[in-house]
Amino acid sequence: EPDENELGIPSNPFMDLVVKNIEMHLDDSTFEAKVLADSLNMSLPTLYRKIKQFSDCSILELTRTIRLKKAELIRTQQYSVQEVAELVGFNDTATFRKRFTEQYGTTPSQYGQP
């Protein structure tokens, strides 16, 4: 059983670097695989292959998982849903709500409520 970080993503030097890079661009809704590949000094195919090697997620899924996990953490600090959406790189609150609800089975506004 491989190590996982608190995001539930396999943890090793490469994946940790990937996660760190995604987190650095969290509020950038235009962030995409090509930017990630460039920031890691590798080609897109190499990046895809390496991520596939360590996880069963695509780069898009990985990015979304990290964004939503961060949203979950931010949500506990009483930001509005729109603020949280923007902080984690969703420029469309409706899409953010939908993805969050898919991931956590509850809406962002109800999340963490007693």
Side-chain angles (χ1 to χ4, degrees), residues 29-30 85-86 89-93:
S29 62
T30 65
E86 287 169 8
F90 284 86
N91 46 9
D92 172 20
T93 309

Side-chain angles (χ1 to χ4, degrees), residues 54-105:
F54 294 115
S55 86
D56 49 7
C57 296
S58 68
I59 294 171
L60 183 68
E61 291 167 331
L62 198 62
T63 304
R64 186 181 297 151
T65 298
I66 293 169
R67 289 185 192 282
L68 290 171
K69 206 66 180 168
K70 289 293 174 188
E72 179 193 2
L73 299 172
I74 295 167
R75 190 65 199 113
T76 60
Q77 295 159 26
Q78 302 310 302
Y79 288 91
S80 76
V81 172
Q82 189 177 352
E83 286 170 325
V84 175
E86 287 169 8
L87 285 166
V88 298
F90 284 86
N91 46 9
D92 172 20
T93 309
T95 304
F96 170 68
R97 269 200 191 89
K98 180 170 177 271
R99 296 297 182 205
F100 191 97
T101 305
E102 280 169 7
Q103 179 105 356
Y104 296 110

